[in-house]
Amino acid sequence: AQSVTQPDIHITVSEGASLELRCNYSYGATPYLFWYVQSPGQGLQLLLKYFSGDTLVQGIKGFEAEFKRSQSSFNLRKPSVHWSDAAEYFCAVSRGGGADGLTFGKGTHLIIQP
Amino acid sequence: NAGVMQNPRHLVRRRGQEARLRCSPMKGHSHVYWYRQLPEEGLKFMVYLQKENIIDESGMPKERFSAEFPKEGPSILRIQQVVRGDSAAYFCASSPRTDGTEAFFGQGTRLTVV
């Protein structure tokens, strides 16, 4: 069965600093990979996704992620965070076949210090 | 084109009552997924439905939970005889694609069982 690990439960970053959120997955083949953001009391918004091709993926709000097959990782990055980036971030994988939906990590809570 | 609509946003039920959660997918989307999010946890897949069909309910508890997506109207997640442990946020996602890779999430229904 596929699984997703987000090793960092909380991360605190100063506004303007760079950010990297870690995500490791376990899956027999190359899965479809996603990063979602959830603001308090809200639903999930898709930041970016990787299906195939270029391993560096650009998303919305200035985020990017890099797929590294050798490390089974799909880390999310942003060069300079803004206070509005404070939220919960979820990494997810899918087999792409529709059934059993997305498998999510437990999330990383991002705190932005002024 | 409105997004995925879930209602109610908040639902309070006493133990033993029934909870009905509704999800109206985006226009043109015929694939619906339900997820449950417990406090401090990521989202867990519950069920995947297409119009009038349950495709995969492997994540759904065997008892008290049921889901439907009728030909007309919203998808319904029904929880009978609710218990405290059912308190969670329930999210619906819809997709226009069979492989579910273009999933859009609603804002969720927060169920509290008292």
Side-chain angles (χ1 to χ4, degrees), chain A residues 9 12 17 39 50 55 57 62 68 107 113:
Chain A
I9 298 174
T12 301
S39 297
Y50 173 79
T55 56
V57 181
K68 292 186 178 180
Q113 281 183 336

Side-chain angles (χ1 to χ4, degrees), chain A residues 81-94:
Chain A
V81 298
H82 186 261
W83 64 267
S84 60
D85 293 325
E88 194 81 19
Y89 290 80
F90 292 98
C91 180
V93 303
S94 168

Side-chain angles (χ1 to χ4, degrees), chain A residues 32 34 36 38 41-44 49 51 90 94 96-102 104-106, chain B residues 9 33 35 37 40-43 45 48 56 91 98-103 105-107 110:
Chain A
Y32 293 4
F34 306 81
Y36 284 87
Q38 183 182 32
Q42 299 298 313
L44 277 71
K49 59 192 176 189
F51 295 165
F90 292 98
S94 168
D100 78 21
L102 297 165
F104 285 85
K106 291 190 175 184
Chain B
R9 291 289 308 278
Y33 300 79
Y35 294 84
Q37 184 180 31
E40 309 297 324
E41 296 283 327
L43 280 72
F45 167 80
Y48 163 43
D56 183 346
F91 289 94
T98 304
D99 63 12
T101 53
E102 295 284 344
F105 281 80
Q107 292 191 305
R110 279 150 184 85

Side-chain angles (χ1 to χ4, degrees), chain B residues 5-18:
Chain B
M5 303 300 293
Q6 289 189 250
N7 66 82
R9 291 289 308 278
H10 300 274
L11 182 62
V12 179
R13 285 287 177 265
R14 296 186 186 279
R15 281 178 292 170
Q17 290 184 320
E18 178 180 287

Side-chain angles (χ1 to χ4, degrees), chain B residues 65-104:
Chain B
F65 285 72
S66 63
E68 62 178 17
F69 188 17
K71 187 177 181 181
E72 301 291 338
S75 175
I76 306 287
L77 179 67
R78 183 181 177 207
I79 311 172
Q80 295 178 290
Q81 300 174 335
V82 296
V83 301
R84 289 253 171 88
D86 297 333
S87 295
Y90 292 83
F91 289 94
C92 166
S94 74
S95 173
R97 296 166 58 115
T98 304
D99 63 12
T101 53
E102 295 284 344
F104 294 84

Side-chain angles (χ1 to χ4, degrees), chain B residues 27-47:
Chain B
K27 188 176 180 180
H29 290 196
S30 58
H31 306 270
V32 167
Y33 300 79
W34 284 94
Y35 294 84
R36 177 165 63 176
Q37 184 180 31
L38 295 170
E40 309 297 324
E41 296 283 327
L43 280 72
K44 301 287 189 195
F45 167 80
M46 297 181 75
V47 61

